[in-house]
Amino acid sequence: MIKELMFERLRKIEDLEQRQLLKDIVSGVFVNLIDYQDEMNKRLEERIFNEIDNAEDRFDIYVTLSSKEDVDPIHECLFPMRSADIESKPIKIEKLLESFKKYKTAVLFTLFLECDSMQIQQLLAEQRHFSGRLVTTEGQVEIKVSLTRNTDYLQEIDRLYPIFQINGLPWKTINHPFAYKFFDVNLVDCPSLNEDVEITEIIIDLEEYEQKKRLNMVPLWNIERHTLKNVGFPVPAVDKVNFEHVLSLRKTGNQHGYLVEADEQSVRYVKRSDNELTVVSPQDKSGVWELVKIVKMEDEKIGKLNYELVSNRRIEHFMHKFASKYTASIKTKGEITRMINSFEVANRLELVDVDILDSFSGTSFSHSANPFLTEMIGDNGHKKTMLLKFKAKEERSFISNDILSFLVSEVQRHFFEYKCEGVWL
């Protein structure tokens, strides 16, 4: 910029002899000086940015969805949330009939509905029964089924929160739009069957939701569980009360994020270095430790996916790193906007306005992505409503409301004095 300005001024000198003389001086001295200054400024900027270690990105959680037959068992980055999802599960007719006779919930299978959150809320509220057929070795029988939300994957997310707490790491809401759309298909009505009959196929008709039905779907994420034995014998910690258990990360990869999965009584705190985890524990004997490995995503290893990959990753920016490290609470609209725009998924929408209302009776498009935190804080009935108004930057898909809910839940995490709701404009 400065160089262009100098040469622009030179071109305005009418005396060509003076112009040439000055051009030689500027080109020989000042241009090199400006280049040197630019290089030094750039280095200074990098030093300041690197002053804040961004360890948070090692714990970014990515999720997607895949059909069961497309799940790669040796994939390096994405793993089934539940290992049982890729196992074949034949339906045991004796267990099914026993549950049915005792008026217990008899789950036939689990399915995925490619619906947005409003359609799912409506479906759950209606408590409808759908027709179906059991194809057995003795012929077909008519059945009635109902749908209830499957919470297996939400429970997997809930399990992570105490693990982050035990490891002394800040919690960041998991952005998992697919986990809310799994349903258990429950047997409601069925004629009597012999116990030696085998079910070969189950057919159900979800009427207007039939086109949204997806069978044998498996949610994936970049979390893998490991067990590691500590290196050598535990040594007394600095406090002379506890013991340090060193776990080597050389074989499992030191570029990934690791969490120790243990009960609160077994872990005092966890220390991290480049190649090791040190668990400070009251246990004085060597043992095997459960580790949650959050795999660093590499684009070339992802491969082809059935559904898009979404995450809770923040954009690399000095201000976001600074705010994450020094969690000073600033209660302004600008801070809420910065908070929302710090996430990569925020490029799909724009926060237009924030209103504080005594109560909100309209239709909220958000749901809590941290229900365990909401339960800890208690009833929201007496709180004012913080209404976050968004505008979509692209055509809304069946996960748009869940992305909005993720962002609203992140704001809610910092503004517990309000009940946060999100709406589209």
Side-chain angles (χ1 to χ4, degrees):
M1 182 68 185
I2 297 176
K3 282 196 288 188
E4 286 79 7
L5 183 62
M6 284 197 308
F7 286 116
E8 179 64 27
R9 295 288 172 86
L10 281 173
R11 279 194 291 271
K12 292 181 179 176
I13 299 176
E14 294 181 355
D15 187 327
L16 295 180
E17 187 177 345
Q18 287 190 8
R19 186 197 293 186
Q20 182 62 48
L21 180 62
L22 196 53
K23 186 178 180 182
D24 292 342
I25 294 172
V26 168
S27 301
V29 180
F30 290 106
V31 170
N32 291 334
L33 188 62
I34 291 168
D35 289 341
Y36 178 78
Q37 185 63 47
D38 286 345
E39 179 63 24
M40 290 299 105
N41 288 345
K42 191 176 177 183
R43 289 188 187 181
L44 178 62
E45 185 178 284
E46 287 175 358
R47 274 185 57 196
I48 293 171
F49 280 18
N50 294 330
E51 280 288 314
I52 298 179
D53 179 34
N54 189 22
E56 185 188 281
D57 62 355
R58 288 192 179 191
F59 300 94
D60 293 333
I61 294 178
Y62 290 77
V63 303
T64 185
L65 190 68
S66 173
S67 58
K68 188 174 177 180
E69 59 268 24
D70 289 335
V71 173
D72 182 358
I74 57 170
H75 201 286
E76 295 180 65
C77 303
L78 294 168
F79 314 93
M81 289 183 72
R82 298 171 69 245
S83 56
D85 287 345
I86 53 176
E87 299 169 359
S88 59
K89 293 178 282 186
I91 297 174
K92 295 181 180 178
I93 191 73
E94 306 89 9
K95 190 176 178 182
L96 189 71
L97 293 175
E98 187 181 346
S99 300
F100 188 64
K101 286 176 184 174
K102 293 181 179 178
Y103 301 103
K104 293 182 179 176
T105 303
V107 180
L108 294 173
F109 59 93
T110 301
L111 57 80
F112 177 81
L113 282 184
E114 204 173 286
C115 299
D116 68 31
S117 63
M118 304 305 285
Q119 292 172 307
I120 285 177
Q121 282 180 25
Q122 184 182 347
L123 178 62
L124 290 170
E126 290 174 348
Q127 298 184 339
R128 290 167 60 178
H129 290 176
F130 298 95
S131 301
R133 284 175 289 150
L134 288 183
V135 182
T136 71
T137 51
E138 293 185 352
Q140 297 188 14
V141 294
E142 300 291 326
I143 59 171
K144 290 284 184 186
V145 298
S146 67
L147 299 181
T148 53
R149 192 196 291 274
N150 178 288
T151 58
D152 290 345
Y153 306 109
L154 299 177
Q155 288 172 13
E156 289 292 325
I157 294 171
D158 292 358
R159 280 179 61 193
L160 289 178
Y161 179 72
I163 297 175
F164 271 82
Q165 299 302 300
I166 290 170
N167 284 264
L169 291 169
W171 174 250
K172 194 165 58 172
T173 306
I174 308 295
N175 180 22
H176 200 326
F178 308 109
Y180 303 92
K181 305 179 192 300
F182 281 88
F183 286 82
D184 286 334
V185 179
N186 307 306
L187 186 63
V188 174
D189 189 20
C190 176
S192 59
L193 294 170
N194 295 324
E195 291 189 357
D196 55 350
V197 166
E198 288 185 16
I199 298 174
T200 56
E201 189 179 4
I202 302 172
I203 302 167
I204 61 169
D205 179 12
L206 295 186
E207 301 173 13
E208 70 268 30
Y209 296 100
E210 187 64 21
Q211 297 298 318
K212 307 286 186 182
K213 183 178 73 179
R214 303 287 182 269
L215 302 177
N216 297 319
M217 302 305 291
V218 178
L220 306 174
W221 62 2
N222 61 329
I223 292 181
E224 189 180 27
R225 283 181 159 77
H226 285 264
T227 53
L228 274 185
K229 191 174 181 181
N230 46 309
V231 179
F233 294 100
V235 296
V238 177
D239 60 10
K240 308 295 184 188
V241 175
N242 297 294
F243 295 85
E244 292 188 348
H245 299 249
V246 178
L247 309 178
S248 174
L249 305 176
R250 293 181 188 278
K251 288 186 179 177
T252 52
N254 59 1
Q255 72 274 31
H256 310 295
Y258 292 92
L259 302 168
V260 178
E261 186 172 13
D263 58 79
E264 201 171 348
Q265 288 71 34
S266 300
V267 177
R268 291 290 176 264
Y269 57 91
V270 179
K271 296 190 293 185
R272 291 170 177 79
S273 63
D274 284 344
N275 296 310
E276 291 176 345
L277 271 186
T278 303
V279 185
V280 179
S281 165
Q283 295 180 19
D284 59 353
K285 293 181 180 176
S286 298
V288 175
W289 294 88
E290 302 283 338
L291 286 190
V292 175
K293 175 182 174 182
I294 301 176
V295 177
K296 183 179 181 181
M297 297 299 290
E298 297 178 38
D299 292 342
E300 62 274 14
K301 293 182 179 177
I302 294 173
K304 187 180 178 184
L305 300 175
N306 298 138
Y307 287 80
E308 64 180 301
L309 190 70
V310 293
S311 75
N312 59 355
R313 181 175 174 77
R314 293 184 196 273
I315 298 168
E316 280 279 337
H317 194 280
F318 174 76
M319 193 60 208
H320 303 325
K321 291 193 315 188
F322 185 82
S324 299
K325 191 171 181 67
Y326 303 100
T327 53
S329 181
I330 305 171
K331 308 287 185 179
T332 63
K333 181 185 171 185
E335 175 62 5
I336 294 171
T337 304
R338 185 206 62 77
M339 202 181 292
I340 288 173
N341 290 339
S342 69
F343 291 97
E344 284 186 346
V345 292
N347 59 6
R348 297 160 174 258
L349 41 76
E350 177 187 354
L351 178 66
V352 177
D353 202 4
V354 179
D355 284 340
I356 304 298
L357 309 172
D358 289 333
S359 63
F360 175 63
S361 57
T363 302
S364 172
F365 288 82
S366 61
H367 56 81
S368 176
N370 296 313
F372 41 90
L373 289 180
T374 311
E375 288 168 7
M376 288 164 58
I377 296 301
D379 183 26
N380 280 330
H382 63 286
K383 297 177 182 175
K384 290 187 176 182
T385 300
M386 178 187 287
L387 188 64
L388 301 158
K389 300 177 181 177
F390 292 89
K391 183 172 71 177
K393 290 182 179 176
E394 57 187 40
E395 187 178 354
R396 280 152 56 181
S397 69
F398 75 101
I399 63 170
S400 294
N401 290 346
D402 304 284
I403 300 290
L404 179 145
S405 299
F406 159 70
L407 296 170
V408 172
S409 296
E410 267 296 298
V411 175
Q412 178 73 81
R413 227 167 41 84
H414 296 84
F415 291 84
F416 267 114
E417 62 271 36
Y418 297 104
K419 180 185 178 187
C420 295
E421 302 282 2
V423 296
W424 293 108
L425 292 180

